[in-house]
Amino acid sequence: MNLQNKVMVITGAGSGIGRAASYRCAEQGATIVALDINGSAAEITAQQVRDKGGKALAFATDITDRQHVAAAIAQVVAEFGHIDVLFNSAGSTRLATIDTLSDEDFDFIIDLNLKGTFIVCSEVLQQMIPRRQGRIINCASYCGVREEYANSAYCAAKAAVIMMTKVMALEMGQHNISAVALSPGNIDTELLQSALKTRAEIEGVEIAKLYQRIGDKVPLGRVGNPEEIAALVAFLSSDIAHYINGENIMMTGGFVMS
């Protein structure tokens, strides 16, 4: 995949899939703009890219705050002139059954996973539309198409991200901008590790048993790793994948078949 001369904004770039995608896409020639609410983590990602000869900037950005996002995007355009690709990777969850899920936690999950994705998309589109080109990749989840115990708000948010992306593809096609949702399965990131710790407490089982349970449900017999998702992100960011539009691309190792 040739990503030379592409400026790529990645949210949640300070860890997990976002960080792995930053590294992989930089290796293919993309200039990386790492956004993360944890500015220090975003800067580590950017520095690693630069250390390997790539170009990268980092911004501490709360994607649920439009002013934060607008300021970051303005700086990106001032520095590089344009944005070619947006990968919305930022996301998180707080596990609880519906009868115990607090309003605060519900709002946090919806605001980060759904509204944050919307805000970044809408701000970046203001830059893409006049140039009549662009690619948006929104990280959803298998939870957007399959229910998961004690994860109702996250499932709802990711299902909404999938549908929002489809509508975006429908609306933005006239501007030569394509959009896809990417739905990973269980990927061994900090988010999964934290979720499994909470789930182990809820169910009263050992974390190792949860890993085994998940792996047993995957035809390939294991959870995925961030680098595998990053490789797909790099492909989807390339010009040869531009015609893949309005799709929800599942990458679960076959987990959704179990």
Side-chain angles (χ1 to χ4, degrees):
M1 283 76 68
N2 183 1
L3 302 182
Q4 293 289 337
N5 301 318
K6 289 191 179 295
V7 177
M8 186 170 182
V9 173
I10 300 179
T11 71
S15 63
I17 292 171
R19 174 170 282 177
S22 297
Y23 295 160
R24 183 60 177 259
C25 292
E27 289 174 358
Q28 302 300 320
T31 296
I32 302 300
V33 179
L35 305 187
D36 202 288
I37 195 168
N38 184 335
S40 296
E43 180 54 39
I44 289 172
T45 297
Q47 188 60 55
Q48 286 288 327
V49 170
R50 292 192 293 266
D51 287 346
K52 294 181 179 180
K55 295 180 180 179
L57 289 180
F59 296 95
T61 309
D62 178 359
I63 65 168
T64 68
D65 185 322
R66 185 175 288 274
Q67 289 185 333
H68 271 217
V69 174
I73 297 305
Q75 291 182 67
V76 173
V77 174
E79 179 71 22
F80 300 117
H82 62 275
I83 298 169
D84 298 289
V85 182
L86 167 63
F87 175 40
N88 271 311
S89 180
S92 189
T93 190
R94 295 174 179 174
L95 298 181
T97 55
I98 291 178
D99 58 310
T100 61
L101 181 66
S102 68
D103 288 353
E104 179 185 16
D105 284 349
F106 180 90
D107 289 344
F108 167 81
I109 295 166
I110 297 298
D111 283 351
L112 176 58
N113 294 282
L114 178 56
K115 187 175 181 180
T117 298
F118 159 71
I119 288 174
V120 181
C121 284
S122 64
E123 289 295 326
V124 170
L125 282 170
Q126 303 309 311
Q127 305 300 323
M128 289 181 171
I129 289 172
R131 297 182 67 235
R132 291 193 54 79
Q133 65 182 65
R135 176 61 144 175
I136 292 178
I137 306 165
N138 289 328
C139 196
S141 169
Y142 74 93
C143 291
V145 299
R146 177 174 175 167
E147 69 283 355
E148 184 171 82
Y149 186 85
N151 212 8
S152 59
Y154 185 77
C155 290
K158 291 303 188 180
V161 166
I162 293 169
M163 185 53 68
M164 182 175 68
T165 305
K166 289 177 177 289
V167 174
M168 194 181 309
L170 182 64
E171 294 175 343
M172 292 298 112
Q174 62 183 316
H175 303 293
N176 194 38
I177 298 167
S178 62
V180 292
L182 170 56
S183 290
N186 285 296
I187 308 300
D188 197 13
T189 63
E190 295 90 334
L191 176 59
L192 178 64
Q193 293 158 13
S194 176
L196 289 185
K197 181 180 179 181
T198 302
R199 189 173 294 282
E201 295 171 355
I202 292 174
E203 298 185 15
V205 298
E206 297 178 358
I207 293 178
K209 290 186 177 180
L210 290 178
Y211 267 102
Q212 182 178 354
R213 183 198 303 175
I214 293 171
D216 288 346
K217 290 182 178 179
V218 177
L220 292 177
R222 63 175 177 83
V223 300
N225 64 68
E227 290 71 27
E228 290 172 308
I229 304 299
L232 180 56
V233 172
F235 168 72
L236 292 173
S237 300
S238 65
D239 290 341
I240 59 175
H242 187 74
Y243 200 66
I244 303 173
N245 191 31
E247 305 291 347
N248 177 37
I249 301 168
M250 307 290 292
M251 193 171 184
T252 71
F255 176 72
V256 292
M257 299 187 297
S258 62

